[in-house]
Amino acid sequence: MGGMSVRTQSSEQPAEAVHRAGFACFVGRPNAGKSTLTNALVGQKVAITSNRPQTTRHTVRGIVHRPDAQLILVDTPGLHKPRTLLGERLNDVVRTTWAEVDVIGFCLPADQKIGPGDRFIAKELAGIRKTPKVAIVTKTDLVDSKALAEQLIAIDQLGKELGFEWTEIVPVSAVGDKQVSLLADLLIPLLPESPPLYPEGDLTDEPEQVMVAELIREAALEGVRDELPHSIAVVVEEMIPREDRPADRPLLDIHANLYIERSSQKGIIIGPKGQRLKEVGMKSRKHIEALLGTPVFLDLHVKVAKDWQRDPKQLRRLGF
């Protein structure tokens, strides 16, 4: 980047370096350059390795590791005008994800005028008040500077029309790696202070398991938060496509363990005649299927890991 580096701190006391970590998702209509951008940021291909159909409804993440930050990219399913009930449920998943991430990057290609599809997404974004929104102008290598300037003004206008302010408007060309790292520089300060959320080597599939585990944990805690506020951990042991299924009827087998601290809590989780655990399974399966876009067979077991919250070894094994 060149230029002078200006240190604003007083020289006597070096400030403690702040580490940030959090989630970003890129939205935009198809072909807005979202996955190219994800790959450029993460520095290797993370696009979908799964052989499941309809994979773009599939949540893929890449992770940008830096010494001072970790940026986790969540690929939400596309938001589209719902024509079906599934479409509506999917849109709910999208909205929830948008509200939960730390920053949303809205990708708009430099070489195409803002259209109704972009407006539809921008309107939805306007409804998500708290999350900072960064407009990312992609494919800048395809236009001259005059066209780019016009697009930047149009995007700024779009925000004003809908009553919100873009946190940043950033032109990038992922093809030439131009400004991709600048984009990361701009997104990272918008993340909360936090230690790294994933170990250094992690790439796509593992975080997907983390999300699945989180959905199961949420369902398991529903209604019993007071009795078991934090004493549930979920570990997804494996996620494997069922063999010998026709291509149009895939099934994903997910085996997961619910860990509690004491055997006295088992009854609370399982419920009379196992009824509650069944409901937990049904509920989380629905959410997992919406997340992964594929039918799932969920196999849940409840296990006791004595006082896991106070045992660093257990905590590590349980992914904390």
Side-chain angles (χ1 to χ4, degrees):
M1 307 276 297
M4 281 166 49
S5 88
V6 182
R7 270 267 166 275
T8 48
Q9 279 135 242
S10 63
S11 48
E12 302 86 65
Q13 195 71 55
E16 193 49 53
V18 173
H19 189 283
R20 295 182 180 276
F23 296 84
C25 70
F26 294 144
V27 302
R29 55 193 159 112
N31 290 333
K34 299 185 293 278
S35 52
T36 315
L37 193 57
T38 303
N39 293 341
L41 270 168
V42 177
Q44 57 230 90
K45 286 271 179 279
V46 290
I48 304 107
T49 46
S50 108
N51 48 10
R52 297 175 216 147
Q54 300 169 301
T55 22
T56 43
R57 272 195 11 216
H58 194 69
T59 302
V60 178
R61 304 164 154 199
I63 301 176
V64 181
H65 293 281
R66 291 194 170 187
D68 60 337
Q70 192 177 64
L71 175 66
I72 299 148
L73 304 174
V74 188
D75 218 12
T76 49
L79 184 87
H80 41 72
K81 299 190 169 135
R83 278 185 284 281
T84 61
L85 191 61
L86 175 67
E88 278 175 40
R89 231 188 55 213
L90 211 56
N91 284 355
D92 287 342
V93 172
V94 176
R95 285 194 196 93
T96 316
T97 308
W98 286 5
E100 284 168 0
V101 295
D102 300 297
V103 53
I104 300 171
F106 182 20
C107 297
L108 295 127
D111 63 334
Q112 294 165 35
K113 288 247 182 295
I114 293 175
D118 300 317
R119 266 174 205 289
F120 176 73
I121 295 174
K123 229 194 221 97
E124 288 288 334
L125 287 180
I128 293 166
R129 289 258 168 254
K130 286 199 199 61
T131 315
K133 293 165 267 296
V134 173
I136 303 168
V137 190
T138 57
K139 311 187 184 188
T140 52
D141 48 305
L142 303 179
V143 298
D144 61 17
S145 53
K146 183 171 171 292
L148 179 58
E150 283 168 9
Q151 185 72 321
L152 296 175
I153 292 165
I155 291 168
D156 186 45
Q157 252 342 94
L158 178 64
K160 290 205 171 79
E161 263 171 56
L162 295 169
F164 69 89
E165 190 72 46
W166 300 106
T167 308
E168 306 267 1
I169 301 179
V170 198
V172 296
S173 156
V175 186
D177 272 348
K178 255 201 238 100
Q179 286 166 306
V180 168
S181 64
L182 170 68
L183 174 62
D185 294 342
L186 292 172
L187 294 176
I188 284 167
L190 302 171
L191 304 177
E193 294 186 15
S194 157
L197 300 169
Y198 292 109
E200 175 73 70
D202 285 5
L203 260 176
T204 339
D205 287 344
E206 211 271 346
E208 195 170 90
Q209 296 195 355
V210 171
M211 283 182 82
V212 167
E214 201 37 54
L215 289 172
I216 296 171
R217 186 168 181 271
E218 274 300 299
L221 276 171
E222 210 167 287
V224 297
R225 258 172 226 281
D226 301 341
E227 299 160 86
L228 309 173
H230 298 293
S231 43
I232 299 181
V234 176
V235 176
V236 173
E237 297 293 341
E238 53 180 11
M239 293 176 33
I240 37 180
R242 177 84 55 97
E243 303 271 307
D244 308 325
R245 296 280 294 193
D248 57 343
R249 299 217 342 274
L251 184 65
L252 183 67
D253 282 315
I254 299 182
H255 300 279
N257 291 328
L258 266 166
Y259 287 94
I260 48 182
E261 290 188 290
R262 291 184 285 286
S263 37
S264 58
Q265 300 168 332
K266 225 170 173 167
I268 304 174
I269 289 288
I270 295 175
K273 296 208 168 102
Q275 205 36 51
R276 195 163 177 284
L277 188 62
K278 249 198 210 98
E279 274 162 32
V280 169
M282 276 158 52
K283 201 167 268 156
S284 49
R285 199 188 74 231
K286 273 211 188 77
H287 290 301
I288 294 166
E289 291 181 337
L291 173 78
L292 301 179
T294 184
V296 160
F297 172 79
L298 180 61
D299 175 39
L300 269 188
H301 294 275
V302 179
K303 303 198 163 180
V304 179
K306 286 238 179 316
D307 299 321
W308 62 262
Q309 298 198 335
R310 284 182 288 286
D311 176 352
K313 202 159 86 242
Q314 299 252 33
L315 281 172
R316 264 203 307 285
R317 194 169 63 90
L318 299 175
F320 289 93

